[in-house]
Amino acid sequence: MRVTLAMKPAERSFIPIEAEAIVPKNFLAGTDISVWRGNRELRLDEVFSVSVEGDADRPEDVEVVLSGDETFRLKRVGEYMDGGKIVVLGGIGMHCGNFMSGGTIEIHGNADGWLGREMAGGTILCRGDAADYCASGYRGGRKGMTGGTVEVFGRAGDFLAESLAGGTVIVHGGAGDMAGAEMHGGTLIVHGDCSRPAANMKAGSCYVYGTAHGMLPTFKKIGAVQHDGRTLIQFTGDIANRGKGNLFVKDYRYLD
């Protein structure tokens, strides 16, 4: 079953749309679904041109395709998603894939903040860049992503994979400040540069295939190791917080 949702142009296009109802399982009962623009509840067909091909008996057999020039205004798409697939033919707004536990979300543009926030399973593929707090917990929380995979083919912003507890996060470009801060499980891989990675980590593994700028002095250098055909420098730490995590970097620079 394929559900295609093409966004209609809107006069007040600066207002984001709360679209947590857009998850594959909700379309098993039809398209009588609502979204919110500000304080107005809108039918799906007031915001999108809707077309449906085929049918399905389970979420795993439902694919939702979002298109249009303003998909970046859609927030919370795929929240609590547990199966099926969502394809975004453009950018997407904040909190895409919140608490996701299964299925696949593929974004062909950029993703706004908190992509894959506190997800527990499934796969998110972002073909563009991801903004701050990708694959992280929420402000004040102690547990971020616990399972699944997030893969970003561009860059990621600050606080990538903050409080990561499980699963795998891969960024093919660089990342901003504090990647992997407060990690206590899982695996984070950054192919480019980042700054102050894995600060205050308790457990888990963080790999930086570029340069770790502002390297914290509370990591203990072990020596060179081979990983995935690369020679990396292994550190254990953060010794400011039990020192049980592992940080691997291609190169590093301490703060001046």
Side-chain angles (χ1 to χ4, degrees), residues 20 29 31 36 44 49 74 76 83 91-92 124 129 137 145 160-161 164 166 177 182 187 213:
E20 69 273 20
T31 59
W36 288 82
L44 205 63
S49 296
L74 300 172
R76 298 169 64 190
I92 197 65
I124 296 178
D129 298 333
M145 177 176 162
L160 166 71
L164 182 68
D177 195 24
E182 302 284 351
T187 301
H213 296 279

Side-chain angles (χ1 to χ4, degrees), residues 181-229:
E182 302 284 351
M183 278 182 66
H184 49 279
T187 301
L188 170 61
I189 300 172
V190 179
H191 283 248
D193 298 345
C194 61
S195 64
R196 297 191 291 177
N200 208 36
M201 77 183 303
K202 304 174 184 67
S205 297
C206 177
Y207 298 85
V208 179
Y209 295 161
T211 299
H213 296 279
M215 182 77 180
L216 298 177
T218 47
F219 283 84
K220 180 181 178 181
K221 186 176 179 179
I222 302 299
V225 296
Q226 295 295 314
H227 172 75
D228 197 23

Side-chain angles (χ1 to χ4, degrees), residues 23-37:
V23 291
K25 67 180 180 182
N26 287 347
F27 291 93
L28 294 174
T31 59
D32 186 18
I33 295 171
S34 297
V35 296
W36 288 82
R37 184 170 63 208

Side-chain angles (χ1 to χ4, degrees), residues 3-252:
V3 180
T4 301
L5 304 176
M7 286 192 73
K8 298 176 180 178
E11 291 183 4
R12 304 180 70 184
S13 60
F14 60 91
I15 301 177
I17 294 172
E18 302 287 337
E20 69 273 20
I22 299 180
V23 291
K25 67 180 180 182
N26 287 347
F27 291 93
L28 294 174
T31 59
D32 186 18
I33 295 171
S34 297
V35 296
W36 288 82
R37 184 170 63 208
N39 62 357
R40 288 191 59 204
E41 185 177 14
L42 302 172
R43 299 188 316 272
L44 205 63
D45 61 5
E46 292 182 272
V47 180
F48 303 93
S49 296
V50 182
S51 67
V52 180
E53 302 172 65
D55 52 23
D57 296 320
R58 56 182 194 152
E60 290 79 6
D61 297 325
V62 178
E63 179 182 60
V64 180
V65 179
L66 295 166
S67 65
D69 295 334
E70 298 178 354
T71 54
F72 63 88
R73 291 195 296 117
L74 300 172
K75 296 173 59 178
R76 298 169 64 190
V77 168
E79 186 168 274
Y80 289 105
M81 178 172 164
D82 59 3
K85 186 174 184 178
I86 296 175
V87 178
V88 184
L89 302 178
I92 197 65
M94 298 169 65
H95 296 291
C96 180
N98 276 357
F99 316 115
M100 179 179 173
S101 62
T104 300
I105 298 176
E106 183 173 1
I107 303 156
H108 286 257
N110 299 328
D112 207 343
W114 282 288
L115 175 67
R117 169 193 157 195
E118 298 177 44
M119 71 181 287
T123 300
I124 296 178
L125 303 172
C126 177
R127 302 293 178 184
D129 298 333
D132 297 344
Y133 296 100
C134 174
S136 76
Y138 201 56
R139 292 190 179 106
R142 295 187 176 182
K143 184 176 288 187
M145 177 176 162
T146 58
T149 300
V150 174
E151 187 167 8
V152 178
F153 288 84
R155 284 186 50 83
D158 296 339
F159 292 99
L160 166 71
E162 183 187 31
S163 300
L164 182 68
T168 301
V169 180
I170 303 168
V171 176
H172 290 268
D177 195 24
M178 290 288 187
E182 302 284 351
M183 278 182 66
H184 49 279
T187 301
L188 170 61
I189 300 172
V190 179
H191 283 248
D193 298 345
C194 61
S195 64
R196 297 191 291 177
N200 208 36
M201 77 183 303
K202 304 174 184 67
S205 297
C206 177
Y207 298 85
V208 179
Y209 295 161
T211 299
H213 296 279
M215 182 77 180
L216 298 177
T218 47
F219 283 84
K220 180 181 178 181
K221 186 176 179 179
I222 302 299
V225 296
Q226 295 295 314
H227 172 75
D228 197 23
R230 296 172 169 86
T231 300
L232 302 175
I233 304 166
Q234 180 182 2
F235 293 81
T236 58
D238 186 337
I239 60 175
N241 195 345
R242 303 180 187 178
K244 294 184 178 180
N246 286 286
L247 171 61
F248 304 85
V249 302
K250 174 69 175 177
D251 194 11
Y252 62 98

